[in-house]
Amino acid sequence: MSDNVRIVPDTSIIISGKLVELLEKGELGQCEIVFPVAVIDELQAQASKGREIGFRGLEKLKKIREVAEMKGCIIRFSGERPTLEDIKLARSGRIDAIIRDIAKNEQAILYTSDYVQALVAEAEGIPVKYIEAYERKSRLSFEEYFTHDTLSLHLKSGVPPMAKRGRPGNFMLVKVRDEPCTEDEVNNVIHEIVETARMSEEGSIELVRNHAMVIQLGEYRIAIAKPPFSDGLEVTIVRPIVKLTLEDYRLSKKLMERLKSKAEGILIAGPPGSGKTTFASSLAEFFSSQGKIVKTLESPRDLQVGPEVTQYGPLEGDFEKTAELLLLVRPDYTIFDEIRKSKDFQVFADMRLAGVGMVGVVHASDPVDAIQRFIGRLELGMIPNVIDTVIFLKDGEIKKIYELNLVVKVPSGMTSLDLARPVIEVRDFETGKLEYEIYTYGEENIIVPVSEVEKYLKDSMKSIEEKLIERFRLYDPNAEVEVISPSKAIVRVDKSVLPKIIGRKGETINKIEHELGISIDLMPSIPKQYKEIEYEYVETSKVIEFVVPSQYSGAKINVYVGRDYLSTVTVGKNGRIRFLKNSEHGRKIIRALEEEADIKLYIED
């Protein structure tokens, strides 16, 4: 280029470092460089927000000035500072328009690495020089550290590169090399990743915050952290090492049938690195193969799925807006990868209640913890309508599957029917065993492990039984105790001691009940000298008759339902014992026959 040429650089060519390269190579000669004030202000604003792009731009600007002075170039600034409105509209191209206006007024050549900026300048008749910011590489520098079994790579300034190698649940953290990473080395890796993400069709910048960034680059999920957010420059690069189908998990026939026909509110839970995302990808591919329309909600978008499954991020930074769009698209299933915030749980619930099959992925150290994360965010009674199946993974394997149902019942451990309430039953899917109950007690929502309740009841009832046996065998050495619940028991003793135990106006038995804190039903026991006799029964419209051998006519017969004494009756002529159906004893006998309970007749031997 001849000397005395005037150029106006925009933000993109400064940040890319291409202007410095041109100056160092002498390709610009002794030119005049006119920096728009808007460029300086934009870089300062980015740096003030802690964004790496701003710091890099200001460093490059400093370098440009040093090299330009060495090369004999003239540097000056032009234009006015952008207004607040200009800054707000920067993403809409307002700052770029200001830069083009300065190039036009200065009759200069616009230098840019922004292809859109170059096209617009050409359309406006402004001389422009477009220089591609980044030369695409077939292999990124960090990929040399990845082997076939590398799960993740961890780079931090001042620390040797570390890598997790193995498989989920069985990996080792190893040093990649002994020499620590320098700050420049980590910065170069960050710059390479960011530029490749901007240029590559497989790259996307998923999250940008002050001093932090998350990027999805092909199969790599990359998290970048910088001071003061972190104590040093750090890059964490994670990738899946396997892609599985649902058949690889060797699911039971029962679960496969549920996934095909019934399960539409699925929660995939597990600790970090347990294989949740891999299983979610397999499930998405399975639903797609079943002829279902499948979409995903992800940030970052790292599910390994086929092109027929569309992956959505948060629309304008909000999953709620994405959900509004998805409801118009009408997918059969939506995979929500990584439900974190309260708003995410609400979006998941709203879409499920709208009739969309939902699969959610949550971090949890226990399958019940995954359910508990919905408690407080949704009304308790709605949870089984939102989640019907919980699949818990650990070390890349399915360890537990729960199904949820809402019933109205007396919770385990409670006895009074007045305590009946809506209860969410959490059952083991394969065995049907009840493992947890979730219900409201007072103003609190609680999760109760049924096994612990049963153990407590068993221990408590055993202790009550021992106390009752000790007490009542003072009256009858053969006393039998049956504890129905911690608040009720049946005690069977010889008929002869019943009056003594009951006492005058029931004073004695009432005192025992008060001391032991339990309600006691006294029953006469079956004496050892009793002999059971055979019978047949005949039922008419009004009467139930027991027919015994005629030799027992006129004898006293004791009637028991199971082990409970019912009545003592006299056998009539021809060995018949008659009960009217509408009598108290008749109704008890009819109920016993309907319930197929044992009715036994005894005679004193």
Side-chain angles (χ1 to χ4, degrees):
M1 179 180 287
S2 61
D3 296 342
N4 302 321
V5 172
R6 186 176 298 148
I7 69 170
V8 172
D10 72 352
T11 315
S12 64
I13 200 166
I14 294 173
I15 294 170
S16 69
K18 290 296 179 181
L19 189 60
V20 174
E21 290 181 17
L22 292 172
L23 284 168
E24 288 177 334
K25 292 176 181 177
E27 293 183 15
L28 297 181
Q30 292 183 335
C31 64
E32 181 181 359
I33 304 174
V34 180
F35 287 108
V37 173
V39 168
I40 313 299
D41 281 7
E42 185 179 9
L43 292 173
Q44 181 183 358
Q46 296 287 348
S48 298
K49 293 175 182 177
R51 293 180 179 171
E52 190 263 341
I53 194 172
F55 288 109
R56 189 165 73 243
L58 291 174
E59 288 170 2
K60 296 293 183 185
L61 198 61
K62 180 182 175 184
K63 183 72 173 176
I64 290 168
R65 190 177 189 94
E66 292 172 356
V67 175
E69 288 175 354
M70 289 174 55
K71 298 290 183 179
C73 296
I74 300 170
I75 291 179
R76 65 184 177 86
F77 296 90
S78 177
E80 297 180 356
R81 298 191 182 282
T83 64
L84 181 60
E85 184 182 4
D86 292 333
I87 294 170
K88 287 180 178 179
L89 296 173
R91 288 187 179 180
S92 302
R94 180 64 67 86
I95 300 295
D96 288 340
I98 292 173
I99 295 168
R100 290 195 304 274
D101 288 343
I102 290 172
K104 188 185 295 183
N105 295 334
E106 293 284 348
Q107 296 182 344
I109 301 171
L110 175 64
Y111 270 63
T112 181
S113 292
D114 183 340
Y115 186 62
V116 175
Q117 173 82 313
L119 287 177
V120 175
E122 286 180 358
E124 291 181 357
I126 301 170
V128 61
K129 179 72 173 177
Y130 171 70
I131 300 170
E132 192 167 320
Y134 184 71
E135 295 177 7
R136 302 185 189 187
K137 297 180 180 179
S138 59
R139 183 177 173 86
L140 296 171
S141 60
F142 68 78
E143 289 185 293
E144 68 180 276
Y145 299 123
F146 273 88
T147 59
H148 72 280
D149 61 345
T150 300
L151 293 164
S152 61
L153 178 67
H154 305 263
L155 306 176
K156 185 178 180 182
S157 57
V159 179
M162 309 290 283
K164 284 183 181 178
R165 287 180 177 158
R167 62 179 181 81
N170 183 21
F171 59 82
M172 291 182 63
L173 186 64
V174 298
K175 276 186 185 180
V176 173
R177 71 179 193 212
D178 293 328
E179 183 186 350
C181 295
T182 64
E183 190 168 318
D184 285 343
E185 183 181 6
V186 180
N187 260 323
N188 288 336
V189 171
I190 293 172
H191 176 65
E192 182 182 48
I193 290 167
V194 172
E195 292 303 327
T196 303
R198 293 182 193 279
M199 302 294 295
S200 172
E201 293 180 359
E202 295 183 345
S204 61
I205 298 174
E206 301 284 345
L207 179 70
V208 178
R209 295 287 186 270
N210 288 352
H211 315 290
M213 185 180 290
V214 177
I215 293 172
Q216 189 68 36
L217 192 57
E219 63 179 352
Y220 299 106
R221 181 171 65 190
I222 303 161
I224 299 169
K226 297 182 176 185
F229 169 63
S230 59
D231 63 347
L233 275 176
E234 184 181 49
V235 180
T236 304
I237 307 167
V238 181
R239 70 158 187 189
I241 62 170
V242 291
K243 183 176 181 180
L244 303 176
T245 64
L246 218 54
E247 287 74 18
D248 295 320
Y249 289 92
R250 300 187 297 277
L251 304 183
S252 68
K253 184 178 179 181
K254 183 179 179 183
L255 180 57
M256 288 299 291
E257 286 299 321
R258 185 177 183 89
L259 293 175
K260 287 178 182 177
S261 59
K262 186 177 179 183
E264 293 187 331
I266 303 170
L267 211 55
I268 301 172
S274 59
K276 301 184 298 298
T277 299
T278 302
F279 181 74
S281 299
S282 303
L283 205 54
E285 297 277 12
F286 168 75
F287 287 136
S288 182
S289 70
Q290 296 290 307
K292 307 293 185 182
I293 300 297
V294 182
K295 309 293 182 185
T296 74
L297 284 171
E298 307 170 64
S299 181
R301 290 165 289 182
D302 60 349
L303 284 178
Q304 303 296 305
V305 293
E308 66 278 0
V309 178
T310 306
Q311 297 173 264
Y312 290 94
L315 184 60
E316 297 180 357
D318 191 347
F319 274 125
E320 193 171 7
K321 293 180 180 179
T322 309
E324 291 176 5
L325 176 65
L326 276 174
L327 289 175
L328 297 175
V329 175
R330 297 181 182 177
D332 298 306
Y333 283 92
T334 298
I335 314 295
F336 199 146
D337 189 22
E338 303 254 350
I339 306 173
R340 301 184 186 93
K341 304 173 185 176
S342 292
K343 204 169 186 180
D344 295 344
F345 286 90
Q346 192 62 55
V347 168
F348 182 91
D350 288 346
M351 290 192 67
R352 177 67 200 98
L353 294 173
V356 179
M358 296 297 294
V359 178
V361 179
V362 295
H363 286 298
S365 57
D366 184 90
V368 175
D369 291 345
I371 303 170
Q372 194 159 12
R373 296 186 69 181
F374 279 83
I375 297 175
R377 292 182 165 103
L378 301 178
E379 291 182 19
L380 197 65
M382 288 174 59
I383 291 177
N385 295 323
V386 175
I387 309 165
D388 55 39
T389 309
V390 178
I391 300 174
F392 181 75
L393 290 101
K394 193 172 183 181
D395 301 337
E397 298 179 357
I398 295 175
K399 299 293 186 182
K400 197 74 175 178
I401 305 170
Y402 281 138
E403 62 175 335
L404 279 65
N405 294 291
L406 182 66
V407 297
V408 177
K409 58 179 262 189
V410 177
S412 299
M414 300 182 185
T415 55
S416 174
L417 293 176
D418 294 338
L419 297 174
R421 66 197 64 204
V423 176
I424 298 174
E425 291 186 337
V426 182
R427 294 182 178 272
D428 183 284
F429 175 74
E430 299 293 348
T431 65
K433 180 183 176 184
L434 179 62
E435 295 199 9
Y436 291 90
E437 290 180 339
I438 307 173
Y439 53 86
T440 302
Y441 189 79
E443 295 182 357
E444 297 293 327
N445 295 320
I446 60 173
I447 298 179
V448 180
V450 174
S451 58
E452 291 185 15
V453 172
E454 290 176 347
K455 184 178 181 301
Y456 168 76
L457 288 176
K458 186 177 179 180
D459 294 343
S460 176
M461 290 163 70
K462 181 68 175 175
S463 174
I464 292 169
E465 182 182 1
E466 290 172 355
K467 290 178 182 178
L468 289 171
I469 289 173
E470 181 182 358
R471 188 63 176 266
F472 283 95
R473 283 188 177 171
L474 296 175
Y475 299 96
D476 179 2
N478 297 314
E480 299 175 5
V481 174
E482 182 184 354
V483 181
I484 306 299
S485 71
S487 60
K488 187 172 183 178
I490 296 173
V491 178
R492 295 180 176 86
V493 295
D494 191 272
K495 276 198 299 186
S496 62
V497 299
L498 281 174
K500 187 176 181 181
I501 295 174
I502 294 171
R504 186 180 178 186
K505 296 182 179 180
E507 289 178 356
T508 305
I509 189 63
N510 287 339
K511 183 179 179 182
I512 294 171
E513 287 180 328
H514 180 73
E515 287 176 2
L516 299 178
I518 190 169
S519 173
I520 299 170
D521 286 348
L522 282 175
M523 299 276 186
S525 61
I526 303 173
K528 290 183 179 180
Q529 65 272 25
Y530 276 12
K531 181 179 74 171
E532 186 178 352
I533 60 175
E534 299 291 330
Y535 69 87
E536 294 179 356
Y537 79 89
V538 179
E539 184 178 351
T540 67
S541 60
K542 293 184 179 180
V543 173
I544 289 179
E545 285 187 333
F546 292 92
V547 182
V548 301
S550 58
Q551 68 191 64
Y552 294 114
S553 296
K556 297 286 187 182
I557 297 291
N558 298 287
V559 183
Y560 280 78
V561 176
R563 298 182 62 195
D564 297 334
Y565 171 78
L566 180 66
S567 177
T568 300
V569 296
T570 302
V571 181
K573 293 179 181 180
N574 302 322
R576 293 180 178 271
I577 303 168
R578 177 177 293 185
F579 290 96
L580 294 173
K581 282 186 173 181
N582 60 2
S583 67
E584 181 182 352
H585 288 155
R587 286 191 291 271
K588 288 182 179 179
I589 289 170
I590 291 171
R591 191 179 308 118
L593 291 170
E594 290 174 348
E595 295 174 357
E596 298 183 355
D598 287 336
I599 299 174
K600 295 188 177 182
L601 307 183
Y602 295 96
I603 188 169
E604 191 167 346
D605 194 357

